[in-house]
Amino acid sequence: MRLKIEIKPNDRVFVLTGAGVSAESGIPTFRGVGGLWRGYRIEQVASPEAWAADRRLVWDFYSMRRQVAAQAKPNPAHMALAELERRIGDRFTLVTQNVDNLHEQAGSQRVIHMHGELFKSRCDRCSREPFPDTNLYEQPVELPRCDCGGYVRPHICWFGEMPFDMDQIYAELATASVFVCIGSSGVVYPAAGFVKAVPTSTRTYYIGPEAPENVGLFDEVLEGKAGEVVPLALR
Ligand code: OAD
């Protein structure tokens, strides 16, 4: 198996990360063992319908996730991606499906969080900008309200909602000559389709311990854990 991905002086590198890149930092993946929370599937607590039906349940879930993510530290995969950005600058694009801040903690400067950010909230009614928020809203804490009277919700892209920054993401995909996906099961769209949105000449790689659902769309799979393979592959 090849371990190093060649990056030529004119290459533009697009990296997409999924839950697998944070697994070795102690943040459980969605579809791995233990993917359920209190017996709920993620879709049952991460959707506008869940928010409309039971805001307390939704905030319990995201408070738990805030608590887990607040303990986590970046691993060598996050570090290697930050280093690659320092090395090749704006020829590098990092898009993550993750809502944790481990890429930023590792030193990445320009991270596109297509599924939102765990440590931000926004109003579910008015157009107030998303704002930093590390609070836990569990009993007996009151659920937060906006000045406008709306409810404050996690700044997360839920099932059925449009991911963020899609125009910018597709523009970057159109000019990428190297595409690397790390630790994503390839079942959630549109991210699972990004590998098809690059030019046909683009070299495409998947890094992770098992084949993703969309494995047939990649030129090459570099099998193994992100924390072990990424620092070697992208050095
Ligand atoms: P999944 O939980 O679906 O998949 C995680 C992937 O990481 C799997 O393919 C694992 O094989 C792989 N993996 C596990 N350990 C790894 C390691 N140490 N190194 C590398 N890979 C490893 O997570 P995502 O594909 O990111 O959306 O899920 C996509 C979206 O579905 C999430 O962003 C979330 C979820 O519902 C929203 O919340 C909107």
Side-chain angles (χ1 to χ4, degrees):
M1 181 185 75
R2 162 216 290 276
L3 260 185
K4 187 162 162 47
I5 295 173
E6 191 188 359
I7 298 172
K8 302 187 194 112
N10 290 329
D11 273 329
R12 296 187 66 86
V13 181
F14 186 112
V15 171
L16 170 68
T17 60
V21 81
S22 297
E24 289 155 85
S25 296
I27 300 182
T29 62
F30 293 97
R31 290 168 187 79
V33 181
L36 291 181
W37 173 74
R38 291 191 196 163
Y40 295 99
R41 278 179 295 108
I42 167 92
E43 295 83 354
Q44 292 174 290
V45 281
S47 66
E49 292 76 20
W51 181 246
D54 193 344
R55 287 186 289 268
R56 175 61 76 181
L57 178 78
V58 173
W59 265 123
D60 274 358
F61 176 64
Y62 285 101
S63 297
M64 176 280 292
R65 293 196 58 198
R66 280 183 178 180
Q67 250 169 322
V68 171
Q71 312 285 326
K73 292 278 164 269
N75 67 55
H78 299 102
M79 297 297 188
L81 292 168
E83 174 55 30
L84 182 59
E85 178 184 342
R86 278 192 287 276
R87 210 164 72 225
I88 68 172
D90 61 9
R91 292 189 291 119
F92 178 70
T93 300
L94 177 58
V95 174
T96 186
Q97 297 168 84
N98 300 341
V99 297
D100 63 54
N101 61 6
L102 296 180
H103 286 304
E104 286 89 347
Q105 279 193 50
S108 288
Q109 300 286 317
R110 295 177 292 104
V111 186
I112 300 176
H113 281 274
M114 64 178 290
H115 288 167
E117 292 177 72
L118 192 52
F119 295 113
K120 285 187 180 171
S121 297
R122 68 175 197 261
C123 178
D124 74 353
R125 189 198 287 176
C126 75
S127 56
R128 174 182 176 187
E129 279 291 296
F131 54 90
D133 184 7
T134 56
N135 293 317
L136 307 180
Y137 299 110
E138 293 169 314
Q139 297 277 17
V141 177
E142 288 281 300
L143 293 186
R145 303 288 291 257
C146 179
D147 293 343
C148 80
Y151 283 94
V152 169
R153 58 165 277 179
H155 180 51
I156 300 283
C157 169
W158 286 328
F159 284 88
E161 296 185 322
M162 178 64 88
F164 304 106
D165 302 318
M166 293 309 289
D167 289 347
Q168 187 190 351
I169 290 173
Y170 281 110
E172 296 290 352
L173 285 166
T175 61
S177 55
V178 175
F179 176 92
V180 185
C181 177
I182 305 167
S184 182
S185 54
V187 297
V188 175
Y189 283 81
F194 288 172
V195 61
K196 279 191 297 192
V198 294
T200 49
S201 57
T202 303
R203 287 116 59 208
T204 59
Y205 304 89
Y206 179 79
I207 299 177
E210 60 202 4
E213 188 120 321
N214 58 351
V215 66
L217 301 172
F218 290 89
D219 295 330
E220 243 180 282
V221 173
L222 282 65
E223 198 183 313
K225 293 182 175 179
E228 293 164 10
V229 177
V230 176
L232 296 174
L234 294 176
R235 67 186 181 272

